Amino acid sequence: MRAALLPMQIKSRFEAAGPLANWILCWVLLPNISFWLLWIIGGPPRVFQVLVTGTVGLGVHRAPFAVKFAAFVAALVVSVLTYISGIFNLDPTSLVAAIQFASELHPTASPEYLVAMLALLATLVGAWRALRRPTVLDDPRSLLIAFALVMLAAGAEYGLAPSNPGSYTRFAEPGAAFTSAVGESGFESAAGDRRHLLLIMSEAMGAPADPVLRRKLIDIWARPEVRRLYDVTSGDTLYYGSTTSGEMRELCGRWGDYPEVLDKADNGCLPARLARRGYHTQAWHSFEGSFFQRSRWYPHIGFAEMRFGERLRADGAEGCPGVFPGACDRDVPAQLSETLRQARTPQFLYWLTVNSHLPVARNAQLGTADCERFDPAIEADNPMACRIFELFDRNGRALAKEITRPDFPIADILITGDHIPPFFNRHQREQFLPDRVPWIRLHRKAPVGPTGEAPLPAPAS
């Protein structure tokens, strides 16, 4: 709250100052002060944003108020969008394209988003009032001072911003070596036995830097009852970009993003390859199919059937709150299990979760109201990470219950993350490897004796 009101307090200090001081207020302090206050805990570097805002301010210092305010708003929008793209590893063009889906976002579910919106509103109100005062830089000395201060602010940003750029704005350079969980785990090879294949992409499941926490994450998905029936292997793989980039990595075997397949088919993607081998391919997502146009491009990479949040809720899943409210992930494994148990041909099911999308609030309906009961140590050090792990644990329990049923058919299961949890706090972010996500493969052991397991699906006729 204090950070949100600070721009107004600074503005009042400049009320009686001259045009140069007012220009500094409008184009150096107001658009940057809220971000600078966040240096204490984290955030991506903003050298570009500082330079752009200052340059715009120099260009319009003689303009009428309406032009100056419009330019300020435009510069602030660019600054905010590029800042968000850095935190969430979203390509700026993808972020702009995602604005059309803003109506599906529920920012009021997050106190962090509410504070950010309040700070943004305070900045705009301060600019509205301050830009009505003179900002004309009449003499060369004033122009030089203004330019020097912009460069000084950009230099301070460069020097004081966190020195961990690898965890922000991760985009693959042309020719970057490719790896994926599907490739490294040998997951597709299980299709040779015509067993069912289940690929789970768990939202914001990064690779913990702490080996103890890493083991806890693996054990969430590979519980003792699971290990009795499945051989467990695990590893980690590089990631670039956001969730849709992670989907392209695992489903299409390359660095890229979904716009590449919006208007054309890619028969080289994993679902298309498995479809040619007789698999029925399904994509499941606990959120809505319109988000990032998944209902449009999933068929282009080989999915014959799609089930999104509305369908999952209609089939019995509860609704879970959050910034992206959707079906409760913990209810989806039962539906996946039912689909596989009823299948008469081999199935490839892909499921993308949603409830662990940051920020995750404390919420009884979501199951995150008291994370201390789940793990007091994680809760004390990193409450948000604790809530994420609690959601992973709920999903892991639900999955284990289904895949250890006597009538669950023989299947191979691969669980992987899409990207690092996009924490804002530097300490929280550094608890995860900046460039890698984990994977866990559950390979169904061959039945020995009359165990009661369902047989492998018969070849398609």
Side-chain angles (χ1 to χ4, degrees):
M1 184 70 69
R2 293 177 62 188
L5 296 177
L6 191 58
M8 297 296 295
Q9 296 171 353
I10 292 175
K11 181 261 176 190
S12 66
R13 299 289 181 91
F14 281 74
E15 284 286 346
L20 174 59
N22 197 53
W23 186 94
I24 295 170
L25 168 67
C26 294
W27 297 103
V28 178
L29 293 179
L30 274 176
N32 296 307
I33 188 66
S34 295
F35 297 103
W36 287 342
L37 289 173
L38 296 174
W39 273 346
I40 300 170
I41 58 174
R46 296 182 57 256
V47 178
F48 169 78
Q49 294 93 320
V50 171
L51 291 174
V52 166
T53 303
T55 301
V56 169
L58 288 172
V60 300
H61 72 102
R62 294 182 181 274
F65 164 75
V67 174
K68 289 189 294 185
F69 187 72
F72 183 92
V73 172
L76 187 61
V77 167
V78 170
S79 188
V80 169
L81 290 181
T82 51
Y83 194 75
I84 294 172
S85 72
I87 291 175
F88 289 95
N89 291 306
L90 271 169
D91 182 280
T93 57
S94 297
L95 182 60
V96 171
I99 293 176
Q100 62 184 301
F101 311 119
S103 61
E104 300 183 56
L105 178 70
H106 288 209
T108 55
S110 164
E112 294 87 348
Y113 281 11
L114 289 175
V115 171
M117 289 188 293
L118 181 60
L120 183 61
L121 178 61
T123 299
L124 289 172
V125 171
W128 177 269
R129 298 181 63 182
L131 286 169
R132 291 183 177 277
R133 297 175 56 82
T135 59
V136 178
L137 307 176
D138 279 326
D139 60 276
R141 186 176 66 174
S142 295
L143 283 168
L144 182 61
I145 291 174
F147 176 78
L149 284 174
V150 171
M151 297 304 295
L152 180 63
E157 183 76 49
Y158 179 82
L160 296 178
S163 57
N164 56 343
S167 64
Y168 297 104
T169 320
R170 281 190 52 78
F171 306 123
E173 297 292 336
F178 178 78
T179 65
S180 70
V182 167
E184 293 186 6
S185 66
F187 175 65
E188 189 177 357
S189 65
D193 293 337
R194 299 187 60 78
R195 60 179 65 197
H196 298 310
L197 299 177
L198 172 58
L199 173 59
I200 301 172
M201 180 164 286
S202 185
E203 167 65 36
M205 193 174 79
D210 180 3
V212 175
L213 196 58
R214 174 63 176 272
R215 173 50 55 187
K216 185 178 185 69
L217 178 63
I218 295 173
D219 289 343
I220 279 175
W221 298 102
R223 298 167 183 274
E225 64 270 30
V226 172
R227 291 179 181 271
R228 284 194 291 269
L229 296 176
Y230 295 82
D231 291 320
V232 178
T233 54
S234 63
D236 53 55
T237 187
L238 281 172
Y239 85 90
Y240 290 100
S242 60
T243 300
T244 52
S245 297
E247 293 184 276
M248 290 297 291
R249 180 189 75 230
E250 299 301 337
L251 295 173
C252 290
R254 65 173 183 272
W255 305 128
D257 212 338
Y258 76 97
E260 301 170 10
V261 289
L262 267 179
D263 299 312
K264 61 180 181 180
D266 187 341
N267 293 323
C269 293
L270 177 63
R273 295 198 304 269
L274 291 173
R276 291 194 295 271
R277 300 176 68 172
Y279 277 75
H280 181 63
T281 57
Q282 297 188 40
W284 298 44
H285 182 28
S286 303
F287 196 52
E288 305 309 320
S290 60
F291 198 58
F292 288 107
Q293 303 184 70
R294 288 184 172 92
S295 58
R296 178 177 165 188
W297 61 269
Y298 274 178
H300 291 173
I301 62 174
F303 284 116
E305 185 178 343
M306 296 171 289
R307 302 190 191 189
F308 295 109
E310 183 178 1
R311 165 76 181 276
L312 300 179
R313 290 192 295 270
D315 288 345
E318 294 184 22
C320 272
V323 176
F324 294 98
C328 292
D329 290 329
R330 61 178 180 260
D331 295 331
V332 176
Q335 296 187 25
L336 293 167
S337 174
E338 176 68 16
T339 297
L340 292 182
R341 286 183 287 113
Q342 297 296 326
R344 293 295 176 263
T345 58
Q347 304 285 308
F348 170 55
L349 305 186
Y350 163 68
W351 172 38
L352 173 63
T353 71
V354 73
N355 299 158
S356 51
H357 196 292
L358 265 64
V360 177
R362 298 185 188 277
N363 183 278
Q365 184 178 355
L366 189 59
T368 55
D370 185 10
C371 197
E372 187 173 359
R373 292 182 302 178
F374 170 67
D375 193 307
I378 302 178
E379 168 68 12
D381 184 58
N382 190 341
M384 185 72 75
C386 185
R387 296 196 286 274
I388 293 175
F389 267 70
E390 188 169 23
L391 291 175
F392 293 159
D393 185 67
R394 288 176 178 273
N395 295 344
R397 288 181 184 277
L399 181 68
K401 178 182 177 181
E402 298 301 326
I403 66 176
T404 58
R405 291 176 51 139
D407 61 345
F408 187 79
I410 294 178
D412 259 36
I413 303 159
L414 177 64
I415 306 105
T416 188
D418 50 359
H419 52 70
I420 187 176
F423 295 114
F424 178 83
N425 183 289
R426 186 183 308 117
H427 169 69
Q428 295 174 343
R429 204 170 181 109
E430 289 176 347
Q431 292 180 343
F432 293 82
L433 299 180
D435 59 348
R436 307 193 76 82
V437 291
W439 58 263
I440 303 99
R441 182 184 174 187
L442 310 177
H443 177 71
R444 186 67 164 84
K445 297 176 181 178
V448 179
T451 60
E453 289 91 353
L456 293 173
S461 57

